[in-house]
Amino acid sequence: MEKVFIELEVVDDYPPVGVESVWAEKVAENIYKIKNIPFYSKEVCIEDEVSTSKGSDGEAIFSGVISDEGNSTLRIIFFGDDEESSQLVLAEISTMGCSWEGMSKKFFSVNVPSNIDFDDVADYLERKSEAGVLDYEYGMVRQ
């Protein structure tokens, strides 16, 4: 696997980086399939096939999406230090058919596959947000 680098638009210091790297499998020259859930990008989702250009050091720089599987991405940040609450939320999301990756104990990216009702997942997160457990945002939404 290789890294594909995605330039990000930073607004009001968010995201905290200007470039995100994602793991990808090379499909052909300058074409890759994304293999992890992005944490900041709003342009790609896991399993997207993307085109790239070569950077100054030979790295693969994201150019555009060639094809997608219909996946959508959400991001969650948990408040407080209650890891039990976060684990319960992540377990529920998994039960709903989603997968997730953690950057820290509080920050997670979530893949909502095309066959899962995006609104059900977003509604669940909204209820948890209203309860003060977490906040969430949309990444790339295709549903």
Side-chain angles (χ1 to χ4, degrees), residues 50-101:
V50 301
S51 62
T52 64
S53 61
K54 292 287 182 199
S56 58
D57 293 326
E59 71 275 24
I61 307 292
F62 170 78
S63 297
V65 174
I66 297 171
S67 65
D68 66 74
E69 298 294 321
N71 293 321
S72 296
T73 304
L74 293 162
R75 287 179 271 283
I76 302 172
I77 187 155
F78 290 97
F79 302 129
D81 294 323
D82 183 6
E83 286 185 47
E84 187 175 328
S85 306
S86 61
Q87 292 307 310
L88 289 171
V89 169
L90 295 170
E92 181 63 25
I93 288 169
S94 295
T95 299
M96 295 171 92
C98 301
S99 58
W100 53 269
E101 293 184 33

Side-chain angles (χ1 to χ4, degrees), residues 72-74 112-113 116-123 138 140-141 143:
S72 296
T73 304
L74 293 162
V112 183
I116 302 302
D117 189 324
F118 181 86
D119 291 336
D120 287 348
V121 178
D123 290 346
Y138 296 162
M140 168 57 80
V141 178
Q143 299 176 34

Side-chain angles (χ1 to χ4, degrees), residues 6-20 40-43:
I6 305 167
E7 293 183 14
L8 305 171
E9 179 181 349
V10 178
V11 177
D12 295 330
D13 297 326
Y14 186 81
V17 294
V19 175
E20 175 176 14
Y40 297 113
S41 174
K42 294 186 177 190
E43 298 182 75

